[in-house]
Each structure stands twice: as C-alpha cells, then as structure tokens.
Amino acid sequence: MSDALIIDACRTPRGVGKQGKGGLSHLHPQHLGSTVLKALAERNDIDTSEVDDIVWGTSSQVSEQSGDLGRMSALDAGYDVKASGVTLDRFCGSGITATNFAANAVMAGMEDLVIAGGTEMMSLPKKGMLPMGAGNLHLQELHPQPHQGVCADAIATLEGIPRTALDEHAAESQARADRAIKEGRFDKSLIPVMNLDGTVALDREEFPRPGTTAESLSALAPSFPAVADYRHEDTPTFRELMAMKYPDLEIEHVHHAGNSSGVVDGAAAILMASEEYAKANGLKARARIVATANMGDDPTLMLNAPVPAAKKVLARAGLTLADIDIFEVNEAFAVVSEKFQRDLDLDRSKVNVNGGAMALGHPIGATGAILIGTVLDELERTDGQFGLITMCAGGGMAPAIIIERV
C-alpha cells in the first residue's frame, strides 16, 4: 500500500457570509474553488492533465453551488479537461471526507495525483433547503433531528457545562486567532481572492473580533430559544423533536453568536500524491496521511461523534493521545470543542492553538480542508510530528484524520 503524501495545502481568507456585506459574497462559488485550485497548480508546477481526480466537499448543493462544484471549479481554474472532479456532502464533515476519500484512493494504488478540498458560500440564499431528514416522517419517528444549535444547548445541559465555561472558551478562541494572524501563522496557506478585473476582493480574515472577552460575551442573548420553539405549519418544533428522544430534558440555552461558529464564505484545497509519483516528478512531501476514520453517533444530539471518531482513528493508526502534537476539532459550537477536551482530558495548549470557527468562521464544506492545512502549517512551525483533525457533522457523524509531518 502506498503512502498518500500531502504536497501542499492552501485556502482563501474567510469572508463574512452575508450577501452584499462580505468581501467574497459577490463572487460565484466556482470562483472561490478555482482560486485555490489555480494556486496549487502554480505553486507546485503540476501538469493538470495528470490529476486523477478532484474530490470536493460542498454541503449546500443548491443554486450556484449545485452541479458538481469540484469539476466546474477545476475547469474555471484552467485545468486540463482530463482532470475529473466529484462533489460530495457529509454536511460539516465534507472537507475532511473529501480528503479521506482522495487519500484512500492513493493508498489503495488506484490513483497517483489527487486534489481534495471544498467550498461553501454561506452568503448564498439556500433556496430549496429542507430541515435535517428532508421531511421524511418515518425517519423522524426513528431518529428525530433538531436544529444543531438546539442540539448544542441540549448537550451542554446534559453535560452540566455552564455558559461561563463556554464563553471563556470562545474568548480564548478569539485571542488565539488574533495572535496567529498578527504572527503570520496563516500566511503560508492564505491565497488572496481576486476579482475578475484583477483587483483584490479579499486578502485577510474578515470575521475575527479581537478584543472579545468572556465578560463582553456574557451580555449576548442566547440564539436558540426562538429557534427551538418555531413551528412551521403542523410540523413539530425542534424542542418537540428533542423531547421525542429526551422527554425529561429541560434545555438551558447557553449558545449565542459569540460562542457559536461564524457564518462565512471560503474555499480550501490539498494536493496529494503517491510516493512514486512525487519522486518521479520532483514533488516534495510536507506530510503523509497516517489513518482515516468515520464514526456515527446519536442523530438527535447530533454533535457528539468527534470523541469516538478520534478514538477510532487513533486505534487505526496505532497511536495514543499522547502521541498527538496538535489537535483540531471544529468549533461548530463551544460545547463541541469543550466537551472534546474534557472527555479526552487533553492538554488545552495542543487543541485549536490558532483559534477556531468561533473566531474565524466555518464555511461548512471547506472547513475540514482548512483545518488539515492549519495543522500542517502548525506542525512545521513547531517541529511537531502528528496532528489529529475531526469535526461533528449533521446526522450525528464525525470523520477524522491523522497526518504526520515529513
């Protein structure tokens, strides 16, 4: 079995995901994808006719994000028509899953040069999007699936994690992101996005709020009480869906805009190759894929799979928590990363060291690829060896991956 080597990784800055307000919101999502694909080809001088496949993650595959965004972005980037592309959806886990699928093809010996990544423009109107389960009443009876924000509040209530701890966690994420930006820790991977006329659309992170404190966050009203009780026609409310599975649970609403992931636009891409192809074409590996895994968990609570996913991928790699130098677990909501660190009793100085989605934003289908690139850069900066990346996903899932710097 061949190693899947990571040759390079890059990403766009994350723009505020509001139509007409964010720095990327006026662009087509294929343009964001083509920006990072073009950068990978130019930075590594690859022959795009030899790219076996482009595996892309996009969660909301509607309107401009429909129609196989991976393939269309490659064509928009000027790739040779021989470079095929496919687009997948594992909700928030799409970017890691795309990377895992592409890496597994190389490791199986079926492909030699692949690109993985993802795009999500959360500023786009989500016309035609349905709630989790897509209105399937039979599935709803088996596995009621509420809004993810309601799930986050439910988990915090069940785990007894107070809002004060979540706000402190969110403030620390902002502080770490601010330090990382000021120290240039993202510069190696960050690709400015240009308008078609050659002017700069966005060349910096747009979402962070430096100076945020736990005290300032404490003044924010919870975001999800009204969401929990909203009723569309004769459908159950999200609170009622949760009660189908947890009838005695009195949800304490503790999440708000400051301790939940930011709504942003962005794209990211990772170039991988087999050992043989890299050697024959003078490509220098930055890391290798050690192991990949997927895990499912309770679809009603929805956000609890990262811990079992981390345990599964560690077992596959033959490693322990102590072997991992850097952890990235997506900050979809503060309770997700807080519970991850508590359950695994982790050294917090190793987790999301450059801030997370609460400070930087979460472009759903792209985030996994962003986090893998972030871990790669940080392993190189700190002379580390192993990094583990995981994240919760809709439907109660979590993909995971371990990379090793070489």
Side-chain angles (χ1 to χ4, degrees):
M1 185 174 72
S2 174
D3 273 337
L5 304 177
I6 297 179
I7 307 302
D8 200 7
C10 66
R11 65 174 179 85
T12 68
R14 281 158 281 199
V16 170
K18 293 183 179 180
Q19 194 63 42
K21 295 185 178 180
L24 302 176
S25 65
H26 63 291
L27 298 170
H28 197 286
Q30 293 171 12
H31 184 75
L32 296 194
S34 72
T35 295
V36 290
L37 288 171
K38 187 181 297 183
L40 280 186
E42 292 175 350
R43 282 161 51 133
N44 299 280
D45 194 26
I46 62 170
D47 180 350
T48 60
S49 70
E50 297 183 356
V51 174
D52 291 307
D53 208 3
I54 296 158
V55 186
W56 215 245
T58 302
S59 184
S60 299
Q61 294 185 34
V62 295
S63 63
E64 292 97 326
Q65 292 194 154
S66 63
D68 194 353
L69 189 52
R71 169 66 169 174
M72 298 307 149
S73 296
L75 294 175
D76 190 63
Y79 273 42
D80 192 284
V81 296
K82 294 178 182 177
S84 64
V86 64
T87 302
L88 58 81
D89 172 16
R90 199 195 295 274
F91 304 107
C92 298
S94 299
I96 293 180
T97 299
T99 306
N100 290 356
F101 283 7
N104 291 343
V106 173
M107 295 165 79
M110 295 294 104
E111 294 177 348
D112 286 304
L113 184 66
V114 296
I115 296 173
T119 301
E120 202 82 39
M121 291 196 67
M122 299 180 73
S123 58
L124 289 175
K126 302 301 186 291
K127 298 175 183 176
M129 290 295 291
L130 295 172
M132 200 71 63
N136 182 347
L137 297 181
H138 178 255
L139 174 59
Q140 181 177 286
E141 292 177 1
L142 294 173
H143 297 292
Q145 298 179 71
H147 184 279
Q148 290 191 341
V150 178
C151 296
D153 286 343
I155 293 168
T157 304
L158 288 166
E159 295 290 328
I161 300 176
R163 173 168 168 167
T164 52
L166 301 177
D167 285 351
E168 288 169 3
H169 183 28
E172 179 64 19
S173 181
Q174 291 280 358
R176 291 183 179 192
D178 185 45
R179 179 185 63 196
I181 291 168
K182 288 176 177 176
E183 294 182 0
R185 296 187 188 183
F186 300 141
D187 291 356
K188 186 172 186 177
S189 296
L190 197 70
I191 305 298
V193 179
M194 312 302 288
N195 292 310
L196 292 175
D197 64 3
T199 60
V200 175
L202 189 65
D203 60 0
R204 60 177 178 82
E205 297 290 352
E206 198 171 36
F207 189 79
R209 295 171 175 82
T212 297
T213 65
E215 183 179 9
S216 65
L217 292 174
S218 70
L220 298 179
S223 295
F224 302 109
V227 173
D229 293 320
Y230 172 75
R231 187 184 305 280
H232 177 67
E233 297 177 348
D234 59 350
T235 60
T237 67
F238 290 123
R239 195 182 304 278
E240 289 168 346
L241 288 173
M242 183 66 71
M244 291 178 190
K245 192 79 172 285
Y246 297 92
D248 299 324
L249 179 62
E250 293 291 336
I251 299 174
E252 181 180 355
H253 292 285
V254 292
H255 287 89
H256 49 77
N259 62 19
S260 304
S261 55
V263 176
V264 295
D265 300 329
I270 299 169
L271 176 65
M272 289 177 282
S274 65
E275 295 174 275
E276 295 78 8
Y277 186 92
K279 184 179 295 185
N281 291 274
L283 298 175
K284 184 178 179 182
R286 296 175 62 190
R288 72 179 185 94
I289 309 299
V290 179
T292 68
N294 299 296
M295 180 61 74
D297 202 88
D298 179 9
T300 301
L301 291 176
M302 203 175 297
L303 311 177
N304 280 341
V307 168
K311 291 179 179 179
K312 185 175 182 179
V313 77
L314 284 166
R316 287 225 172 127
L319 299 173
T320 69
L321 289 169
D323 294 317
I324 304 301
D325 299 291
I326 300 294
F327 295 86
E328 280 284 338
V329 56
N330 186 43
E331 295 172 355
F333 300 92
V335 74
V336 176
S337 44
E338 179 68 22
K339 184 177 186 299
F340 185 83
Q341 294 177 88
R342 292 185 181 207
D343 286 1
L344 297 175
D345 193 24
L346 297 178
D347 177 349
R348 289 176 179 256
S349 68
K350 294 183 175 182
V351 184
N352 298 358
V353 299
N354 293 322
M358 291 186 289
L360 296 159
H362 174 26
I364 308 293
T367 300
I370 291 174
L371 297 186
I372 293 168
T374 297
V375 167
L376 175 57
D377 287 345
E378 189 63 15
L379 289 174
E380 291 176 341
R381 188 185 73 84
T382 60
D383 197 28
Q385 184 177 5
F386 292 110
L388 187 156
I389 305 96
T390 187
M391 60 200 308
C392 61
M397 299 182 287
I401 184 172
I402 293 175
I403 67 171
E404 180 182 19
R405 182 180 65 90
V406 298

